[in-house]
Amino acid sequence: MEKKRIYLVFVFLLLIPYLCSLAVIGIGYNALVLHSSSIWRSIIGALTGSFIMFAIKATIQRPLDLMANQIKEGFFEQFLRFFSVRRRPWLQLANIVLNFALCYIATFLARIFLNLDQIVGNSVGITLIVMFVSTCIGAYLEYDNLSIDPRQH
């Protein structure tokens, strides 16, 4: 797989859905929790969101491993491997801490940039549509390389 294509697949199949997942967590938290601006409640929401994000990452292991194996650029390869949940325990912990920080930021940004009508309204639906379209584009770009059936190559 050529380098440009790897970057495109990374953006459409992993990065955009990852950011959309953070947005869904931030919007959902603010829609469900009364007094969401409480620091303690935001910490609990971010902790819950970080474990949800960790579980979501388990579903993207094959594309991550395939892309990391095909690129020999040190920084980007390590960046891809950092998001793998099949790593050493301290890297998994670092991954959860990163998810925690990003989930906390997502809940904070959703509270700042969206009003209550937008939070309770259709913002989650729009975010999910963006995630779905992005995932479809990413899967279309590299269906053959990301296929579960290795005989298709």
Side-chain angles (χ1 to χ4, degrees):
M1 192 173 3
E2 62 187 55
K3 192 186 271 189
K4 281 184 187 178
R5 205 166 196 149
I6 290 173
Y7 287 126
L8 277 175
V9 170
F10 172 74
V11 167
F12 285 111
L13 195 62
L14 302 171
L15 185 63
I16 293 173
Y18 184 78
L19 295 174
C20 288
S21 297
L22 287 170
V24 167
I25 287 170
I27 294 166
Y29 169 77
N30 284 295
L32 294 174
V33 176
L34 186 61
H35 305 297
S36 60
S37 61
S38 162
I39 292 176
W40 172 247
R41 290 181 184 189
S42 293
I43 288 172
I44 297 299
L47 186 63
T48 304
S50 67
F51 285 112
I52 291 170
M53 289 299 289
F54 190 77
I56 288 172
K57 288 178 184 178
T59 64
I60 61 168
Q61 288 308 293
R62 180 165 170 76
L64 275 176
D65 292 342
L66 287 171
M67 286 192 304
N69 288 338
Q70 292 183 12
I71 194 158
K72 299 302 177 211
E73 190 175 303
F75 177 74
F76 188 60
E77 180 183 5
Q78 290 308 313
F79 182 73
L80 287 173
R81 293 199 185 278
F82 178 76
F83 286 95
S84 176
V85 295
R86 289 185 258 166
R87 298 292 300 239
R88 294 180 201 105
W90 68 272
L91 284 172
Q92 289 178 346
L93 180 63
N95 208 322
I96 289 173
V97 169
L98 175 67
N99 287 337
F100 172 80
L102 292 174
C103 287
Y104 189 86
I105 291 169
T107 61
F108 184 73
L109 290 177
R111 193 168 38 248
I112 287 177
F113 289 112
L114 300 174
N115 63 36
L116 187 58
D117 290 337
Q118 291 170 324
I119 288 173
V120 178
N122 57 5
S123 57
V124 170
I126 292 169
T127 306
L128 290 175
I129 288 172
V130 170
M131 183 188 303
F132 178 73
V133 169
S134 173
T135 304
C136 288
I137 291 170
Y140 174 76
L141 286 172
E142 281 306 313
Y143 175 78
D144 291 337
N145 289 331
L146 301 176
S147 173
I148 295 173
D149 185 8
R151 294 174 288 163
Q152 287 183 340
H153 296 291

